[in-house]
Amino acid sequence: MSRQRWAVAGGLGTLLLVALLALVVWQLNRLDEAPPPAVPVADLATQRERGAYLARAGNCAGCHTVAGGVPYAGGRGIETPFGTVFAPNLTPHATTGLGDWSSEDFWRALHNGRGRDGRLLTPAFPYPNFSRVTRADADALFAYLQGLAPVDQPRRPHELRFPYDSQAALAVWRALYFRPAVHAEDPRQDAEWNRGVYLVEGLGHCSACHAPRNALGASGEQLGGGLMPMRDWYAPALDAAHEAGVAGWPRAQVVELLRTGRTELASASGPMAEVVRGSTQHLSDADLGAMALYLQRLPQQPVPVAAASSKAPPVNVRGERLYAKHCADCHGEAGEGVPGAYPALAGNRALLLDPPANPVRIVLGGGFAPATAGNPRPYGMPPFAAVLADDEVADLLSYTRNAWGNSAPPVTPLEVHRLRDRALR
């Protein structure tokens, strides 16, 4: 490269660096919009009751409670590709919780992703979704949290790698991917649909799991499915009939799945079982119906066309033998299942997912629907990690994914090996 070209390239690089620094400074120092005025409340007890309901709708305790700890006292570690984020204490303790916060501080955290001191919050806290939450609902949530017993549990510092632990990196991320949102009713849709989008895309933050993410952890609001980082569960697409779309379901079945964790058409397991147990089972019929309506009206992905093959798949003799030994008693000789107890495997969308992370994890670690008020004693599936080797799990799943009319890519021993440790945590 000539000296002149080197000079031009160097000048462009300097301009880009200056622009990047200016962007960081702007993000760190820009003034957030003023919060909307608080809605007058006549009865604090009623507001707090409403806040408790909203906290369930947002499944706040799911992240802000360590296993065996006091609800909302924080401390739970959330693994990300950039390190571990620790959820803070939401109880009203004066020094380690939200005791010194105001309702404006709390709204700013939800809406703008900034802490009380102005620092940028990591998007592991899903403020891109919570930004939609109305001021009235934010105030009700805050009133509920302020009514909890204060717990002295200091915030544990995040363990993020450089440069992801810096405010500068967060500023760049926000400049690229975050704009504060405002919930606005769509006049082209009815009130039930508008309530559904508020719950699904806002407070319920479904896209935090069910949307694909890029290399920097950013996702859109589309619900097209994706592998959950560091958890190795696949959150299936909610807009695709071949994954977890419900456009063709009876509405009552969608509501039943969200309320109890199981129907004759599907059951919840893994992270979704946690959501049903901690959140959706507690919602009103009206809100569950609104969520179902919104999910059913999502524009649908086209069903993929399977590649034609003139050769029949090889007979998986060992997989068939393993199925007869370990699975047929519950799931049936022809994968027909037992209604109300064990799911059918013939035509089972969860079994046919690609990537096959979920069926591999269920075979290794067991499959357990959530215990809910509507299904207090769910049937479960025992783990087979201590019984089956990686190649046996691969053969078993490859057989079931291509028996009884099923058609899906085979599972490899390497895929099973990669997921084994994660499935047993």
Side-chain angles (χ1 to χ4, degrees), residues 316-322 360 363-364 384-385 387-399 410-418 420:
N316 191 329
V317 176
R318 184 165 73 160
E320 185 175 15
R321 185 171 67 249
L322 288 167
V360 170
V363 170
L364 290 173
F384 285 87
V387 178
L388 301 176
D390 292 346
D391 58 335
E392 292 177 311
V393 174
D395 278 348
L396 170 63
L397 284 173
S398 296
Y399 167 73
V411 177
T412 68
L414 181 60
E415 289 174 306
V416 179
H417 179 75
R418 186 178 64 83
R420 181 176 285 270

Side-chain angles (χ1 to χ4, degrees), residues 4-340:
Q4 184 177 12
R5 288 182 177 178
W6 274 113
V8 171
L12 289 175
T14 301
L15 286 175
L16 286 174
L17 180 60
V18 170
L20 180 61
L21 290 173
L23 187 65
V24 168
V25 171
W26 174 72
Q27 275 287 330
L28 291 175
N29 295 286
R30 72 181 179 87
L31 295 176
D32 292 324
E33 61 190 274
V39 178
V41 175
D43 184 354
L44 180 59
T46 300
Q47 186 189 38
R48 284 180 171 168
E49 182 179 359
R50 172 68 177 165
Y53 178 84
L54 295 169
R56 287 284 181 84
N59 197 24
C60 303
C63 286
H64 289 273
T65 307
V66 71
V70 179
Y72 301 103
R76 179 174 179 178
I78 300 167
E79 292 183 88
T80 79
F82 317 106
T84 302
V85 172
F86 293 94
N89 183 352
L90 298 185
T91 73
H93 192 273
T95 57
T96 65
L98 304 184
D100 287 341
W101 284 46
S102 68
S103 59
E104 285 75 19
D105 296 331
F106 188 75
W107 184 86
R108 189 176 295 110
L110 294 181
H111 186 71
N112 293 308
R114 285 185 185 268
R116 180 172 178 265
D117 58 1
R119 290 178 63 82
L120 305 180
L121 302 178
T122 171
F125 171 60
Y127 58 82
N129 298 93
F130 292 161
S131 186
R132 289 176 175 264
V133 174
T134 65
R135 177 63 195 269
D137 280 354
D139 286 354
L141 274 166
F142 183 68
Y144 166 66
L145 295 172
Q146 290 295 99
L148 298 174
V151 178
D152 184 5
Q153 180 158 294
R155 178 176 300 185
R156 185 171 173 181
H158 301 325
E159 296 174 359
L160 295 169
R161 299 188 305 278
F162 180 82
Y164 309 111
D165 58 348
S166 69
Q167 288 285 289
L170 284 173
V172 172
W173 189 93
R174 288 165 62 96
L176 292 172
Y177 302 116
F178 174 65
R179 298 293 181 276
V182 175
H183 176 68
E185 301 285 310
D186 186 340
R188 298 167 299 179
Q189 301 286 352
D190 55 40
E192 189 177 21
W193 184 93
N194 278 293
R195 178 64 177 170
V197 71
Y198 179 71
L199 291 167
V200 170
E201 298 289 4
L203 196 57
H205 60 286
C206 301
S207 63
C209 291
H210 288 276
R213 294 182 178 272
N214 65 19
L216 293 178
S219 67
E221 293 185 350
Q222 70 275 19
L223 298 169
L227 193 66
M228 297 172 66
M230 312 306 293
R231 300 195 70 178
D232 286 330
W233 284 95
Y234 179 73
L238 300 180
D239 59 357
H242 63 286
E243 291 202 4
V246 293
W249 284 27
R251 179 81 53 80
Q253 291 284 306
V254 185
V255 171
E256 186 71 7
L257 180 62
L258 293 172
R259 181 193 292 114
T260 70
R262 70 159 306 278
T263 72
E264 295 305 314
L265 299 175
S267 61
S269 59
M272 190 60 202
E274 297 175 21
V275 171
V276 173
R277 182 174 56 251
S279 177
T280 57
Q281 71 158 319
H282 304 287
L283 301 189
S284 67
D285 288 346
D287 277 350
L288 291 177
M291 294 174 71
L293 174 68
Y294 174 69
L295 292 172
Q296 290 190 307
R297 289 187 186 175
L298 288 173
Q300 296 294 292
Q301 295 184 37
V303 177
V305 178
S309 175
S310 58
K311 295 177 62 178
V315 177
N316 191 329
V317 176
R318 184 165 73 160
E320 185 175 15
R321 185 171 67 249
L322 288 167
Y323 179 82
K325 179 179 180 180
H326 297 291
C327 314
D329 285 348
C330 294
H331 293 287
E333 293 183 1
E336 71 275 16
V338 177

